[in-house]
Amino acid sequence: MNAGEAVDSVQLAQALASAVTLVRDRFPAASVNLNPWRDDPQTRRWQEDQTLDLAFHFPGWSPRLECRSLLLQLRLQQKSKQDGSMAAPDLLGVLMRGMTYDGERWRLVTMGDWQPEGSHLPQPEQVQQLRGICRDLFDLFSNPAATGTAA
């Protein structure tokens, strides 16, 4: 689901803003898009309510990443507090895709060995940066006090 449409709490808004900052710290030239998906019947058919989807677009081609855009899909699990109110969600996994106008060139999933797969892989230094982003995202969602999202 588009991150811009899915944010329904202060905690989630703060976590999303911190996630954007994490990526922008490593790729400062990238611009963020909180609504990467079109609103059409085919896209809505594949909509997943338990994800936050956002994209980062580079000003041109990134030869080290072998892509023009990064698409991030954060798979979340919503939690309830003892009093019935909603707590900050848990991050279950990250799917990161390197995209061009032709489609997906590679993907990195936080399952198994976190190795990118695809036709045109990023350079090893960039793979380490992408893994670092994923680790930081898990830290961010496991420690909401770090972003001011603690209740």
Side-chain angles (χ1 to χ4, degrees), residues 76-90:
L76 304 173
Q77 180 179 27
Q78 199 61 41
K79 306 183 291 188
S80 296
K81 294 181 184 177
Q82 299 250 334
D83 65 5
S85 65
M86 297 308 283
D90 284 331

Side-chain angles (χ1 to χ4, degrees), residues 11 26 106 110 140:
Q11 292 93 349
R26 288 190 171 85
W106 56 263
T110 57
L140 170 72

